[in-house]
């Protein structure tokens, strides 16, 4: 079975440019989360999507946006790139389980290999 | 504010030895505590996870010990091997009763080197 796939593997951009990163979750997984991992640190949560809806947002500026498609794949967009956006961007998929009150909860998160973004 | 504190930052162990990595958390609403292993240039891979209703979970050479009252949990790697050399992250998340999605809150990582 294919795991989480991400594209591209590496990307080099200049300040002010825009970038789109793509993620395909594990087959059957309905939830996708995005994380930013700066070198030497743990991942930081950016977004979680379930059934094409944003279900969680981390402490990132509005330059970061994402969406999820009907096939549950997802894109992360970053506008007006800054040098500090250089990082490994990780996508995680999970088998989303509906919790009490209809709120979507998620189970174990499985990570893709990441996209290494370098901003010059 | 670091909600999950991990130590040590780096660890060197001899082959066959025991590697121990510790984490402490603050938010008592956390109810899921996974450990991830990450090799350079790769995404994190789930190693083992525990929920607070048990005090210990073992999978092969990997054991999580959980102390709910102390708000601490640790990873023990028995019979450490050179192939275990990687960065290890503890994490925590909040369950559905808090109305949140399961975003993971991560420690800063421990770089483990197992000498042959």
């Amino acid at each position: 079975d294919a795991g989480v796939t991400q594209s591209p593997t590496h990307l080099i951009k200049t300040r002010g440019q825009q970038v789109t990163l793509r993620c395909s979750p594990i087959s059957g997984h309905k939830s996708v989360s995005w994380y930013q991992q700066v070198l030497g640190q743990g991942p930081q949560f950016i977004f979680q999507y379930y059934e094409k809806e944003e279900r969680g947002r981390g402490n990132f500026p509005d330059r970061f946006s994402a969406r999820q498609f009907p096939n549950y794949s997802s894109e992360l967009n970053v506008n007006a790139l800054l040098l500090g956006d250089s990082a490994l961007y990780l996508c995680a998929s999970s088998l989303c389980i509906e919790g009490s009150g209809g709120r979507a909860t998620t189970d174990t998160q499985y990570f893709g290999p990441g996209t290494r973004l370098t901003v010059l | 504010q670091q909600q999950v504190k991990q130590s040590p930052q780096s660890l060197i162990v001899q082959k066959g030895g025991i590697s121990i990595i510790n984490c402490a958390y603050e938010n008592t609403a956390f109810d899921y505590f996974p450990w991830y292993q990450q090799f350079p240039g790769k995404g994190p891979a789930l190693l083992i996870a525990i929920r607070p209703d048990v005090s210990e979970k073992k999978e092969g050479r990997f054991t999580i010990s959980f102390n709910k009252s102390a708000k601490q949990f640790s990873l023990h790697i028995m019979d450490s091997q050179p192939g275990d050399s990687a960065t290890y992250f503890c994490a925590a998340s909040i369950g559905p009763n808090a109305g949140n999605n399961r975003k993971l809150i991560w420690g800063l990582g421990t770089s483990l080197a197992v000498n042959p």
Side-chain angles (χ1 to χ4, degrees), chain A residues 3-86:
Chain A
V4 178
T5 59
Q6 293 186 244
S7 63
T9 305
H10 296 87
L11 204 52
I12 299 175
K13 293 285 189 178
T14 57
R15 282 177 296 176
Q17 285 189 309
Q18 176 265 342
V19 68
T20 298
L21 311 181
R22 296 176 176 82
C23 171
S24 291
I26 294 171
S27 177
H29 285 196
K30 299 182 179 180
S31 179
V32 169
S33 297
W34 287 95
Y35 291 82
Q36 180 196 65
Q37 186 177 23
V38 175
L39 194 63
Q41 296 185 19
Q44 296 292 315
F45 173 76
I46 309 175
F47 287 111
Q48 187 225 350
Y49 275 77
Y50 169 67
E51 291 289 8
K52 297 171 286 180
E53 290 184 3
E54 181 184 304
R55 297 301 185 104
R57 172 185 284 259
N59 190 23
F60 280 80
D62 293 342
R63 299 184 296 108
F64 289 77
S65 63
R67 56 180 175 169
Q68 187 177 34
F69 299 98
N71 65 353
Y72 303 113
S73 66
S74 177
E75 287 183 350
L76 174 70
N77 296 283
V78 187
N79 295 321
L81 285 168
L82 303 174
L83 295 178
D85 295 331
S86 296

Side-chain angles (χ1 to χ4, degrees), chain A residues 35 37 40-45 48 55-58 88 90 99-100 103-114 116, chain B residues 2 9 32 36 38 41-46 49 51 89 93 95-109:
Chain A
Y35 291 82
Q37 186 177 23
Q41 296 185 19
Q44 296 292 315
F45 173 76
Q48 187 225 350
R55 297 301 185 104
R57 172 185 284 259
L88 180 68
L90 296 164
S100 60
R103 292 184 181 275
T105 69
T106 59
D107 212 326
T108 301
Q109 295 188 25
Y110 299 90
F111 286 81
R116 172 69 63 187
Chain B
Q2 190 68 27
Q9 185 176 355
Y32 176 69
Y36 282 85
Q38 186 176 29
K42 305 293 185 181
L46 179 68
R51 298 185 189 275
F89 292 95
S93 68
N97 291 336
N100 294 323
N101 67 81
R102 283 197 180 279
K103 68 176 181 181
L104 289 170
I105 309 298
W106 298 70
L108 294 181

Side-chain angles (χ1 to χ4, degrees), chain B residues 46-114:
Chain B
L46 179 68
L47 202 56
I48 187 172
I50 198 168
R51 298 185 189 275
D53 53 344
V54 295
S55 60
E56 185 176 282
K57 183 176 181 179
K58 183 177 182 179
E59 291 184 1
R61 295 185 294 111
F62 303 93
T63 300
I64 299 179
S65 297
F66 188 84
N67 186 330
K68 187 175 182 178
S69 61
K71 295 188 288 185
Q72 296 176 347
F73 58 110
S74 61
L75 175 69
H76 292 64
I77 305 175
M78 312 299 288
D79 187 26
S80 299
Q81 300 296 312
D84 296 332
S85 298
T87 299
Y88 292 80
F89 292 95
C90 63
S93 68
I94 299 173
N97 291 336
N100 294 323
N101 67 81
R102 283 197 180 279
K103 68 176 181 181
L104 289 170
I105 309 298
W106 298 70
L108 294 181
T110 296
S111 178
L112 172 65
V114 181

